[in-house]
Amino acid sequence: MLSKLEEIKLVSQCALGDNRRAFGQLVEAYQPRLRRFLMNLTMGDENLTDDLAQETFIKAYTGIRSFKGLSGFGTWLYRIAYNEFYSEKRRRHEEHVDYVSESMQGASLKSSESTEAQMDVQAAMRALNPVERTVITLFYIDDLPLKKIVSITGLPEGTVKSNLHRAKEKMREIIKYQH
């Protein structure tokens, strides 16, 4: 994880000097968390996750000069990824889509490492709409505060809170029903 000072230094080198090596360091630092975020949004579709991550980093690189530093670079990057996910969703003309690929479903059923709890959570996540999945992922998995989630999603704080509450209730009911 980069310190705030290291992050500012790397972003400045990218914006002012078109330093690709500095951008590579930013990619290395943020790629695992960004991929995990996108993997949760796409419900395990690795190909779509890879495509969205690549597009996110391309847009971040080409738009780095527009980064104002009002939020952290990570928040700005998540916002780009979030927008890319919804742009892709619109391109596919899908309203409530379940992005879990058949190969992912088969893999998680066959995997001896999958625990019952993990399978319960996966099933519960599939039942959420994309906005609910986003806020659950950002709040519980990425451990981001509400204010950052608001910045990333562009939703009002009250809407984020209600989506979080609704998502928790849905997940609780699905997990309770499975047992």
Side-chain angles (χ1 to χ4, degrees):
M1 194 61 162
L2 297 173
S3 72
K4 199 70 158 161
L5 187 60
E6 291 171 316
E7 182 181 284
I8 292 168
K9 179 182 169 189
L10 291 172
V11 170
S12 297
Q13 289 174 350
C14 294
L16 300 174
D18 199 27
N19 186 332
R20 291 181 184 183
R21 210 172 298 169
F23 191 75
Q25 289 178 290
L26 288 168
V27 170
E28 276 184 42
Y30 283 98
Q31 188 173 32
R33 289 188 312 161
L34 184 78
R35 285 195 86 260
R36 184 180 63 225
F37 170 65
L38 289 168
M39 187 70 82
N40 281 309
L41 286 182
T42 64
M43 291 306 301
D45 187 328
E46 288 187 38
N47 292 329
L48 182 55
T49 295
D50 290 342
D51 291 346
L52 292 172
Q54 182 176 10
E55 281 301 311
T56 298
F57 284 116
I58 288 169
K59 286 202 173 166
Y61 183 74
T62 58
I64 194 107
R65 286 184 177 92
S66 70
F67 176 64
K68 293 175 180 63
L70 300 174
S71 63
F73 179 77
T75 302
W76 183 69
L77 197 60
Y78 272 66
R79 178 66 185 188
I80 294 169
Y82 179 78
N83 288 339
E84 281 302 303
F85 171 74
Y86 279 96
S87 291
E88 178 63 25
K89 192 172 175 243
R90 280 190 298 275
R91 277 193 288 276
R92 291 177 181 219
H93 302 292
E94 297 174 1
E95 295 258 335
H96 296 286
V97 92
D98 184 2
Y99 283 109
V100 178
S101 65
E102 290 177 22
S103 62
M104 177 65 179
Q105 287 175 341
S108 55
L109 292 177
K110 294 175 190 169
S111 172
S112 61
E113 297 172 13
S114 290
T115 63
E116 188 176 322
Q118 288 171 325
M119 290 169 50
D120 288 347
V121 170
Q122 288 174 354
M125 288 289 281
R126 278 194 298 274
L128 302 178
N129 69 45
V131 173
E132 292 166 341
R133 252 193 327 267
T134 299
V135 297
I136 285 287
T137 299
L138 291 172
F139 191 77
Y140 288 107
I141 296 172
D142 293 324
D143 200 28
L144 294 179
L146 284 174
K147 293 211 181 299
K148 281 196 177 187
I149 297 170
V150 167
S151 293
I152 291 167
T153 61
L155 298 171
E157 188 172 330
T159 304
V160 170
K161 286 179 180 178
S162 65
N163 274 292
L164 228 124
H165 177 73
R166 194 170 32 252
K168 286 190 303 188
E169 288 301 313
K170 278 185 187 178
M171 290 179 77
R172 183 178 300 127
E173 286 301 313
I174 288 166
I175 290 170
K176 189 169 100 178
Y177 176 74
Q178 290 178 346
H179 291 277

